[in-house]
Amino acid sequence: MSVTTTGPLPDEVHDVVIIGAGVVGAAIARELARYRLRIAVVEASDDIGNGTSKANTAILHTGFDATPGTLEARLVRDGHRRLTGYAAEVGIPVERLGALLVAWDDEQLAALPALAAKAARNGCHDTRLIGAEELRRREPHLGPGALGALDVPGESIICPWTTTLAYATQAVRSGAGLHLNCRVDTVTTSTAGHQELGTARGVLRTRHLVNAAGLHADAIDRMCGHDDFTVTPRRGQLMVFDTFARALVDHILLPVPTARGKGVLVTPTVYGNVLLGPTAEDLDDKTATGTSADGLAFLRERGARILPALLDEEITAVYAGLRAATGQEDYRIRAHPGERRVTVGGIRSTGLTASMAIAAHVVELLAATGLGLGTAHEPAPLRMPNIGEAFPRPYQRAELIAADPEYGTLVCHCERVSRGEIRDALAGTVPPGSVAGLRRRTRAMSGRCQGYHCGAAVHALFARGGGPGAVPAVPASPDSPDSPRTRTPS
């Protein structure tokens, strides 16, 4: 099949159409594309992973703190196993740092044994309680007053952007169609029994339908005649600290969780930064991804207690993501066999980790609605470009630069992004639909100057297609601003 951004949709009846090209929708498409089926994904925006999937804390969870016996607990545990193996296979950046669930008062300290027992019920048997002395030795920059912690060695950090892109790339290469700028406005059933999706680009027909529309899954569900849940967008604001802050923290530092979520954490990223956040604000507006003075002040207050020295470091960006809260502490995944539809709703902060397991579960549900699968085949091998810091980047690989000097020609000096990487991203199976999408594929414009020096060159490369010699490299500037700007990435 192909990736389309404009024009009419294919005039054929698909076996399955998936609404939503976030990390879950892309994972479902990849899983379905293992079978000889006519698959399509429709996405309202101009790129994959353009909603919740692009703005999160990027943690690969073990599921130690999930509610035992829930669907989420089972799929997170299975998803952790699947995604850990898949990431190693295709080159998604992952770093197993481990997490420390830090207790700051006697009540939180008393809660740790129960959390360890909960972890064991979830199949996570390697957690252990540690005292204040060991905690201080392992994280010497922690604020005063930490009394102990639950050590969770299996927690990791991961690149969410590369994960979604890898799924979508394999799905498209295996024959799935991906139709962007294709918002679904209506879902009806034709006289022939096919489901017809009325979109901004025409009608798409299918026998089976998967609703993986994220924040808008409830609206799609109502188009299909159901009113099973309502999505309340829960905003999480985060701060990104410069790479100089990375030496301050060696683990994912978690708070003792509450009913509203996992709380404010401090975590390194695979890109060498440090994150502080998120907030948890229930809103009415599903587009409210801006940050607020109150939210950022709240994060600074919490950060001052967790890791005081962090607030002395430069903030390179602030951003906010929206999670799909439904008022129920479990996924809202349900099959409607008589309608040949599956709804995948309420996928919150663990959706990245669980994505591959959710996909496998959805395929099982589709089979129960009458979808004939046949024999599965493995997708062609894939190796993703590395944009993480744990493994060599192109600018560090002399043999790669010798074979293609474009990989040694830097465009973004803050993040060490070469013209070769930008060229490859623009020519990829699923190319970016905007400069923001190019940033997520390469890290260009994500560093301490936030595009102040390289922005013009990156925009020009995007506009011209990134061919060799399209734009000269931007030289390193001696007059970088003392205080990097902050912004909310789009």
Side-chain angles (χ1 to χ4, degrees):
M1 296 290 285
S2 61
V3 179
T4 70
T5 57
T6 60
L9 298 170
D11 184 18
E12 63 177 310
V13 179
H14 295 80
D15 294 306
V16 186
V17 167
I18 302 151
I19 302 175
V23 69
V24 171
I28 294 168
R30 177 193 174 275
E31 185 68 19
L32 283 168
R34 298 173 59 232
Y35 303 90
R36 299 192 183 282
L37 301 168
R38 284 170 290 186
I39 308 299
V41 184
V42 292
E43 165 59 41
S45 73
D46 63 5
D47 204 355
I48 61 168
N50 217 9
T52 301
S53 302
K54 74 176 181 183
N56 50 64
T57 52
I59 295 175
L60 181 55
H61 296 284
T62 58
F64 78 96
D65 58 347
T67 302
T70 60
L71 179 63
E72 180 180 20
R74 175 168 68 85
L75 295 182
V76 169
R77 185 168 60 250
D78 185 28
H80 180 272
R81 175 186 61 82
R82 290 173 182 259
L83 185 49
T84 298
Y86 181 73
E89 175 189 328
V90 304
I92 297 169
V94 172
E95 295 181 45
R96 180 169 168 162
L97 301 180
L100 295 172
L101 197 70
V102 180
W104 296 94
D105 57 39
D106 290 335
E107 182 180 355
Q108 293 177 5
L109 188 66
L112 294 183
L115 287 167
K118 186 180 190 181
R121 293 199 300 276
N122 283 318
C124 188
H125 298 286
D126 57 354
T127 67
R128 67 185 184 92
L129 301 174
I130 63 173
E133 184 177 347
E134 180 179 347
L135 174 61
R136 182 69 53 185
R137 185 170 64 251
R138 293 174 64 176
E139 288 291 350
H141 297 286
L142 271 178
L147 303 178
L150 179 66
D151 180 18
V152 189
E155 297 281 294
S156 303
I157 54 176
I158 188 170
C159 177
W161 306 331
T162 306
T163 304
T164 307
L165 183 60
Y167 293 158
T169 297
Q170 283 194 312
V172 171
R173 289 184 182 178
S174 298
L178 172 60
H179 307 296
L180 304 170
N181 300 313
C182 197
R183 185 188 67 250
V184 174
D185 298 314
T186 60
V187 179
T188 58
T189 302
S190 71
T191 56
H194 303 142
Q195 302 182 61
E196 295 188 344
L197 280 62
T199 81
R201 293 175 49 197
V203 175
L204 198 67
R205 293 176 292 160
T206 183
R207 295 185 178 86
H208 297 261
L209 180 65
V210 176
N211 169 12
L215 290 168
H216 303 281
D218 56 343
I220 299 295
D221 211 38
R222 292 187 179 96
M223 290 180 197
C224 296
H226 303 285
D227 192 11
D228 295 338
F229 62 94
T230 296
V231 171
T232 299
R234 181 167 293 163
R235 181 168 64 181
Q237 301 183 49
L238 296 106
M239 292 179 168
V240 183
F241 288 83
D242 191 74
T243 54
F244 288 123
R246 180 62 183 83
L248 295 175
V249 59
D250 292 322
H251 302 80
I252 303 164
L253 301 180
L254 301 174
V256 176
T258 68
R260 289 186 58 79
K262 297 181 184 298
V264 175
L265 57 85
V266 173
T267 179
T269 75
V270 294
Y271 321 114
N273 304 101
V274 176
L275 288 182
L276 170 64
T279 58
E281 310 157 63
D282 287 347
L283 308 174
D284 296 322
D285 185 357
K286 293 182 179 180
T287 65
T289 56
T291 57
S292 68
D294 288 345
L296 299 179
F298 170 77
L299 292 181
R300 292 185 66 88
E301 177 187 345
R302 292 301 175 93
R305 182 178 193 186
I306 301 167
L307 207 68
L310 182 63
L311 299 186
D312 295 330
E313 300 295 330
E314 297 285 359
I315 298 171
T316 59
V318 296
Y319 68 93
L322 299 175
R323 290 159 279 173
T326 64
Q328 178 175 312
E329 296 305 308
D330 201 359
Y331 296 159
R332 308 299 292 266
I333 302 176
R334 180 181 176 187
H336 302 280
E339 304 168 23
R340 303 190 305 279
R341 294 169 179 157
V342 175
T343 296
V344 186
I347 310 301
R348 298 168 298 128
S349 57
T350 55
L352 170 61
T353 299
S355 54
M356 297 189 82
I358 292 172
H361 179 59
V362 168
V363 170
E364 291 176 358
L365 293 177
L366 285 169
T369 69
L371 177 65
L373 294 174
T375 303
H377 64 277
E378 291 305 312
L382 176 68
R383 194 70 186 172
M384 298 301 293
N386 173 46
I387 62 172
E389 292 298 311
F391 301 98
R393 302 265 307 286
Y395 78 92
Q396 297 169 310
R397 297 175 57 189
E399 81 288 353
L400 188 63
I401 295 170
D404 186 346
E406 293 289 291
Y407 293 114
T409 305
L410 294 185
V411 175
C412 172
H413 284 267
C414 290
E415 296 296 283
R416 305 294 193 269
V417 180
S418 69
R419 194 159 56 192
E421 293 168 276
I422 292 175
R423 174 201 63 200
D424 293 349
L426 293 170
T429 301
V430 185
S434 64
V435 171
L438 179 60
R439 179 180 62 82
R440 292 192 293 273
R441 287 161 173 80
T442 64
R443 289 173 50 184
M445 300 173 56
S446 295
R448 59 179 60 98
C449 86
Q450 290 288 294
Y452 181 84
H453 293 287
C454 68
V458 172
H459 278 79
L461 283 167
F462 177 79
R464 300 181 192 185
V471 173
V474 178
S477 174
D479 59 348
S480 297
D482 293 332
S483 179
R485 298 176 298 152
T486 63
R487 69 179 182 92
T488 304
S490 61

